[in-house]
Amino acid sequence: MSFEEIKSQAILQWKTMQQSESIRILIGMGTCGRAAGAEDILDVLNQELVKQDIQADILPVGCIGLCYAEPLIEVIKPGKPSVFYGNLTPELMSEIIADYLIADNPRSDLALGTRGEGTLDGIPKFFNLSVLKPQVRISLRNCGNIDPENINHYIANGGYEGLAKALRMKPQEVIVEIKKSGLRGRGGAGFATGVKWQFCHDAPGDIKYVICNADEGDPGAFMDRALLEGDPHAVLEGILIGAYAIGATEGYIYIRAEYPLAIQRLRIAIRQMEEYGLIGDDIMGSGFKFHIKIKEGAGAFVCGEETAMMASIEGRRGMPRSRPPFPAQSGLWGKPTNINNVETWSDVSAILAKGADWYAGYGTEKSKGTKNFSLAGKVVRTGLIEVPMGISLREIVYEIGGGIPEGKRLKAVQTGGPSGGFIPESLIDLPVDYESLTQAGSIMGSGGMVVIDEDTCMVDMTKFFLTFTQAESCGKCIPCRWGTKQMLDILEDIANGRGRPGDIALLQELAESIKDGSLCGLGQTAPNPVLTSIRYFRDEYEEHIFERRCSAMQCQALISYYILPDKCQGCMICARNCPVQAIEGGKRMVHVIDQDKCINCGICLDVCPPKFGAVVKVSGTKPSDIPERPVPVVAKS
Amino acid sequence: MSAIPTTKVGENGTASIKLIVNGEEVEAKRGATVLEAALGAGIYIPTLCYDPDLKPYGGCRLCVVEIEKMRGLVSSCTTPATDGMVVHTETPRVNQSRRITMELIIANHHGDCLTCAKSQDCNLLKIARYLGIEQDRVERLRKGTQVLPVDDSHPAFLHDPNKCILCAKCVRACHEIAVVGAIDIAFRGSSARIATFGDKPIAESICKSCGECVMRCPTGALVPKWEKPPAEEIKTICPYCGVGCSIYLGVLDNKVVSVRGDPEGSTNRGSLCVKGRWGYDFLSHPERLTTPLIRIPGVPCGAGHDGKVHEIFRETSWDEALELAANKLLELKQARGADSIAALSSAKCTNEDNYAMQKFVRAVIGTNNIDHCARLCHASTVVGGIAAFGQGAMSNSYSDFEKTELFFVIGSNTTECHPIIGSMIKRRVRFGGAKLIVADPRSIELSDFATVRLPHKPGTDVALLNGLMHVIIRDGLEDKEFIRKRTEGFEDMRQLVEGFTPEVVEATTGVPKADLEAAACLFGETKSACILYGMGITQHTTGTDNVKSVANLLLLTGNIGREGTGFSPLRGQNNVQGACDIGALPNVYPGYQRVDDPALRMKFETAWGCKLSDRPGVTVTEIANAILGGDIKGLYVMGENPMLSEPNLEHFRQALEKLEFLVVQDIFLSETAWLADVVFPAAAFAEKDGTFTNTERRVQRVRQAVLPPGEAKADWEIISALAGKMGKPFGYQTASQIMEEAASLTPVYGGIRFERLDHDGLQWPCPDTSHPGTSFLYQDGFARGRGKFHAVDYIPPAESISKKYPLVLTTGRILEHWHTGTMSRRANVLSELCPSGVVEMHPGDAARLGLIEGDLVVVTSKRGWVEAPLHITEKSPPGVIFMPFHWREAAANILTNDALDPLAKIPEYKVSAVNAVRRRKKLR
């Protein structure tokens, strides 16, 4: 079958489905959906539909991005706009089946929004929701819309058009197109993709490789997983285009073994491509030959680093090596190799299909296109987002994210994961592009974005990232191996009230030297959280070191619990629940916490009846009039 | 800074480059790193992980520098120097980074420098001083608290992870030089450390104990257990195998206290194996012979050697012992004729010792009855090599291996027997793109590296080689021009191999047809191939045929007489090449000059001033029968131990016990010496001057490092003294005088003089004192003119399995031991690493015989029985068991067949029919 035939067949299948007279239900079955209980919802759906004898097609789709609203479904009744429902429980699902599938009440109280022509009373347009309105979906274009295990869905939505177009061009023309689009590496470093391809294209050698870096390892980052689960072909098509442009005939997808669903969907996708002749010895009859292998990573963060990844593929311990030689000159098995991240590859296929100019129409002068982020932390609407470059942090946090829960104050936004840094609330209008983030001391990174509110201690948060980088350092170079450990040790001392007066300067000195001296990106960026937290939140370090105080009250060693004598009613609940018997007192006696025994677990605070509110948590100060020994409760006058 | 980049292209096409380092112009070879360029110009850059022998690593980050137009600090050890590059090695930024890096190491380095075995040699300490690390700056840092257990499981060295800085030199040496991979970095972050597979103690790992890691460790993390800092170092040659590694013996108070490989030595480039690294404490072993011994009258020769020395021998003076020996030998000569006396010279002794011995036998005794253990290892190589090429020595050099594209290893367990050559092959295959064919009945370490494996049945080498040639000719892959221009006898050979179709060969050898064809194609299509072989080829009744077949294959494909190609018989002992070269053979004078050639005989008669016998003498393997037949009455054994190394030992014992007079000269009371009438205490290799000739024909200097124990003397001194006692004094004062005399009579050694050997020795042929030596032979022609093909038909081994003896026994060496264990079993590390002999058997055979691992097994042949613990391993193919021959307690040679190759008189050690059954109790 020619590609044209394949395409018309796919479109036919897609149209038939669209125009079908039966109800269609799309259910988010990505890992996020499953974790939120989508499988239970699916069970209910299946059972109820049979029980109620409702004719409906169920289509499992990838994550549409609204992780906070999972489990999420989209119900399409013929002739009506589709309706999204989120935060489903089996009970709510049953209600929706009864009310909307059987009856005709779309339950505007439960619906999130509608999509398609027409409106339904009391339900907003889905893509007009503030969470979606600022977003532009290029790399995630099909996620949540198509069945990721059906190649026809992808093809019907314009899939493999980019490849078909590329194969009609000369490889160099493809590279020029990518250069023109201004696409920069979405893995984090932001190197111009077209230029990188050019290096590899120009490198002498008959065997060349392309690698897709799917070793997403930043804590809290899930952009690549969602993309691979939701639309694997978009990535694979990009890889093929890149391979063609560079002159590679073999490729690897290096993916963490912790992403079983993504791996499964990639395998299915590759098998389907083989059936359609979209991968193999003569792709689309063009003579272009390409094969791809999936290499599962064993869980080392550092294997996301290019040279470590190649060592791992070669069967060696995943440790980075110095450059030069660069992978484009001597990479996998010593051959010229080009590595791009999952998101970059998906962008590539979109760029080829729709043109460089179209893509470059989004973003800023130096940062073109869109960027995926996994928005997480203290924000109302967490999720996977894709925004045009140049959007402000404020829009992301307040428009898309819906602000900080419980009316708390925003303290900072952390971007770039453990390699990134903290951007303080004062810089909330910073545009999100490579240069601005770097200037603020952070990085774009692969797309982790953690919102931090006033209850977060910056020393504690920094410690968290250092704990991670310290444990994930490969151990090869000394500045990273011992430097991250040293910074962590100092941070732990500070958090535990053992900080020394020179520690802030020492941390800064160490951080600069570690950035300077480390072999690979892991060590070179690991100090970023330390440097930016000191840069913007030095006062928090100082209060820990000089006042032994944690104003966010997160550092356990620096907080104390006291029982206020004028509030305690001597009910004994706290004493009974104290795991270390640190509370003395008796019936109708004001209880007293023995500070030497107390382990600051906070159970007393949790169990003290709210109507008394006698237990307080403090840091650095002690409430007045706390008795040494239990005294009788003074009867309320 | 007049920095205009210039490129100068040298005569050989390589270019040099110029860069600016700290404002000075520095010239470097293209391809050098910035670090190498700086070091070459005398600009110091500190580094802990750089090693010129290893690939750039860039781990320690101490060598960081600033390079203009490059971002950040870069590690100079990994960055190629380029023309016009401007480098700054000592900027404030660089120094700050280095200091912090070093402070971080120190803060996490546990251990007290005072008690550290590395003490003054510690590179960490040196660099910390260079960087001016201050205590109070280190004090600001949090000290590492993790303390890891020390691994002292290995008898030779300690691994203290608390002193490890993770420079990974050990790991890299293990992977890149030894190509073993016993250790790697395990775990991550601050927990990262060096570990074996499964984090087991190193002694339980696949470690080959070569010590490449230990010698490279810059700190006290890997330290030898027994070494001490020496007062001086003496350069000499390792006394173990024929590779001939150059070493430095460290001496303190007349004792060898340290050993290191000579980095300049072209044989080994600083590398050593387990024996060469740790095997020297036999020198000061309490059992060393220190005075001459005389058998107490009335004690029968057969009195076993389990008795006490003083019940059998009495100590005596040199004068009395020499007098007794001289009188007894003269008596025998007069009564029975000179040919009633025979002597065994030694492949372990120097060329000078051997020259003196053969001269003593020929000129003083008056017979050609001199031979040595080369008879037992490479006699067939000499005979076969001479027949094919006119010369029996290795035709190529180790340096050729660097250009070899295909190694064909047949009948050589190279990594066990010639470990340094084994590593060279592994490196060429793993890192150099070379291919490897391994033909061996057993699965050896090299099999894991092989492109094609040919596990043929023991003793079917001729069939296998003929099969390869059949396919090469069938497919037209032979080198027709070479055959036409440089060989003869091709047609006969071609007709013979016509019958060796892959089907026939598969039936004979058990090698699948497809593998045979794959190997033949590979061999036929590769431009430069060499064949390495060992005892697996030579120790057969068809040993000479086997060697001729090897030669045929080389001639057929034109793989000889060019760089990268060649004929590589791997000589087993340190000086077996030299002992042959220098005439310790019954049919030739030094330099392979035939005793039955009147002109040559006259040359030696003139030089030595006496009449010489024109009759070739008896060989080692014929001696037993000659004694038992009454032809030989007296035997003089120097530095050999036939009582363990001969096949069919019981037969040999009976012969020795029948002798009228036996003189043994050795460093220990060997199994043979226990039977002697007179024992002369000899100096070991480290106690005398002289030369050894290694397997690549390199004559190298052996130098005295310590004095011999007690009254022990160099072998040549003892022989000279005995000659004096017998009325024909040699008059040698030094070993070099002997070499001068030998060189004057031995054309291929004509240019060998001690002073010419100082740097790296000389490879013969070296006809005159201005000749630089010869790296590879036959460039312009073979020693016999044209290379000769031989039509060699397959003949099965002398003994085949039967109902009573259903298994094939094959014997050989193991890495940790050497020869009859006289030295290696008295080296603590070696005997601890491998204390006893074993029988290796395939799991299938073991199951069939109802045997389990560790069972004490009795192995029986027609000739006797031995017992040894069983080791079950798939290294042995079904139906074949293997025993090393180093242990007198499990003397494999009691079992071996003394059937001989008709031409070379080499026995068939490699194929004996045996049976194996369980002994009562189980050993662990």
Side-chain angles (χ1 to χ4, degrees), chain A residues 322-324 326 516-519 524, chain B residues 34-35 45 58 61-80 85-89 93-94 97-98:
Chain A
S322 298
R323 285 167 285 199
F326 291 92
D516 237 7
S518 291
L519 192 160
Q524 286 161 6
Chain B
V34 172
L35 178 70
I45 295 176
R61 313 309 288 173
L62 288 170
C63 74
V64 291
V65 294
E66 283 191 78
I67 298 175
E68 290 181 13
K69 293 178 194 159
M70 286 180 87
R71 210 156 45 95
L73 298 179
V74 295
S75 46
S76 58
C77 71
T78 59
T79 307
M85 188 179 250
V86 182
V87 182
H88 305 281
T89 71
R93 186 177 173 193
V94 163
S97 174
R98 285 180 188 161

Side-chain angles (χ1 to χ4, degrees), chain A residues 228-475:
Chain A
L228 288 170
E229 287 175 359
D231 193 12
H233 287 288
V235 179
L236 286 161
E237 185 185 354
I239 297 172
L240 262 72
I241 292 167
Y244 172 73
I246 288 157
T249 52
E250 268 188 70
Y252 284 86
I253 299 172
Y254 191 93
I255 181 165
R256 348 178 29 173
E258 297 95 322
Y259 283 180
L261 184 62
I263 294 169
Q264 186 195 331
R265 290 197 169 150
L266 278 169
R267 289 196 197 286
I268 292 168
I270 292 167
R271 206 168 54 232
Q272 293 169 342
M273 290 169 76
E274 284 165 354
E275 282 166 17
Y276 278 174
L278 293 173
I279 201 160
D281 290 336
D282 181 17
I283 296 167
M284 291 188 181
S286 68
F288 169 50
K289 175 182 164 184
F290 185 73
H291 293 271
I292 198 155
K293 290 190 180 116
I294 293 175
K295 167 79 186 176
E296 293 181 35
F301 175 67
V302 75
C303 285
E305 197 277 345
E306 290 187 337
T307 57
M309 176 174 291
M310 294 187 300
S312 177
I313 293 174
E314 288 174 12
R316 292 181 286 125
R317 177 178 162 94
M319 292 207 296
R321 61 160 175 79
S322 298
R323 285 167 285 199
F326 291 92
Q329 306 155 331
S330 173
L332 190 63
W333 318 111
K335 308 292 180 196
T337 303
N338 181 81
I339 303 180
N340 283 120
N341 153 276
V342 169
E343 185 183 336
T344 314
W345 289 122
S346 178
D347 286 337
V348 164
S349 47
I351 290 167
L352 259 287
K354 294 198 171 181
D357 294 333
W358 161 80
Y359 186 81
Y362 297 99
T364 67
E365 193 198 334
K366 286 186 174 170
S367 301
K368 300 288 185 199
T370 57
K371 176 77 193 91
N372 297 349
F373 289 99
S374 45
L375 186 60
K378 299 295 177 65
V379 64
V380 173
R381 292 191 286 265
T382 58
L384 173 67
I385 65 170
E386 182 169 2
V387 289
M389 292 279 191
I391 191 172
S392 74
L393 273 176
R394 181 187 296 280
E395 270 180 284
I396 293 177
V397 174
Y398 289 100
E399 298 292 314
I400 298 173
I404 317 299
E406 297 168 37
K408 301 265 182 176
R409 189 175 59 80
L410 172 72
K411 190 184 255 184
V413 177
Q414 207 277 352
T415 66
S419 303
F422 300 103
I423 298 161
E425 197 270 340
S426 58
L427 296 178
I428 191 68
D429 289 312
L430 195 73
V432 174
D433 60 55
Y434 290 102
E435 284 69 29
S436 305
L437 289 174
T438 306
Q439 219 177 351
S442 186
I443 59 167
M444 176 78 76
S446 61
M449 186 176 280
V450 183
V451 179
I452 291 163
D453 74 358
E454 59 185 298
D455 284 347
T456 306
C457 166
M458 296 311 286
V459 174
D460 188 55
M461 192 70 186
T462 308
K463 206 178 78 180
F464 165 80
F465 283 112
L466 261 294
T467 306
F468 180 83
T469 38
Q470 186 277 141
E472 292 295 342
S473 164
C474 77

Side-chain angles (χ1 to χ4, degrees), chain B residues 805-828:
Chain B
Y805 300 108
L807 295 166
V808 172
L809 167 73
T810 183
T811 65
R813 281 189 196 165
I814 57 161
L815 175 65
E816 290 83 1
H817 286 285
W818 195 65
H819 205 242
T820 64
T822 316
M823 288 159 21
S824 63
R825 291 193 64 193
R826 289 183 177 91
N828 283 330

Side-chain angles (χ1 to χ4, degrees), chain A residues 298-302 317 319-325 469-479 481-483 485-486 489-490 493-494 498-500 503 506 509-510 513-514 516-520 524, chain B residues 48 57-62 64 70 72-73 75 78-80 93 96-97 100-105 107-108 137 139-146 164-167 184-192:
Chain A
F301 175 67
V302 75
R317 177 178 162 94
M319 292 207 296
R321 61 160 175 79
S322 298
R323 285 167 285 199
T469 38
Q470 186 277 141
E472 292 295 342
S473 164
C474 77
K476 179 170 176 175
C477 80
I478 292 160
R481 176 172 81 248
W482 289 130
K485 178 71 167 52
Q486 184 65 226
D489 286 351
I490 295 169
D493 274 359
I494 293 173
R498 295 190 303 265
R500 303 177 196 165
D503 277 350
L506 177 60
E509 187 185 344
L510 284 167
S513 283
I514 293 160
D516 237 7
S518 291
L519 192 160
C520 84
Q524 286 161 6
Chain B
L48 282 167
Y57 188 64
C60 80
R61 313 309 288 173
L62 288 170
V64 291
M70 286 180 87
L73 298 179
S75 46
T78 59
T79 307
R93 186 177 173 193
Q96 165 72 1
S97 174
I100 291 276
T101 300
M102 183 51 87
E103 285 162 13
L104 287 167
I105 299 175
N108 289 285
R137 276 179 61 89
E139 288 304 320
R140 311 175 297 168
L141 300 176
R142 275 45 167 185
K143 289 268 195 290
T145 50
Q146 192 184 21
C164 174
I165 52 158
L166 234 62
C167 66
D184 207 331
I185 297 175
F187 309 102
R188 291 206 284 264
S190 57
S191 304

Side-chain angles (χ1 to χ4, degrees), chain B residues 106-142:
Chain B
I106 305 274
N108 289 285
H109 192 75
H110 302 285
D112 176 4
C113 292
L114 264 184
T115 56
C116 180
K118 201 74 179 182
S119 62
Q120 293 310 305
D121 283 336
C122 180
N123 228 4
L124 180 64
L125 197 64
K126 284 178 196 165
I127 295 173
R129 286 197 184 127
Y130 171 79
L131 294 172
I133 298 303
E134 292 155 13
Q135 191 61 32
D136 55 339
R137 276 179 61 89
V138 177
E139 288 304 320
R140 311 175 297 168
L141 300 176
R142 275 45 167 185

Side-chain angles (χ1 to χ4, degrees), chain B residues 1-7 18-20 25 83-84:
Chain B
M1 299 241 289
S2 61
I4 301 164
T6 52
T7 304
K18 281 183 178 164
L19 55 159
I20 309 293
E25 192 177 76
D83 229 359

Side-chain angles (χ1 to χ4, degrees), chain B residues 4 21 93 111 181 360 414 476 510 520 641 701 829:
Chain B
I4 301 164
V21 182
R93 186 177 173 193
F360 173 80
T414 322
N641 191 12
R701 268 286 267 127
V829 169

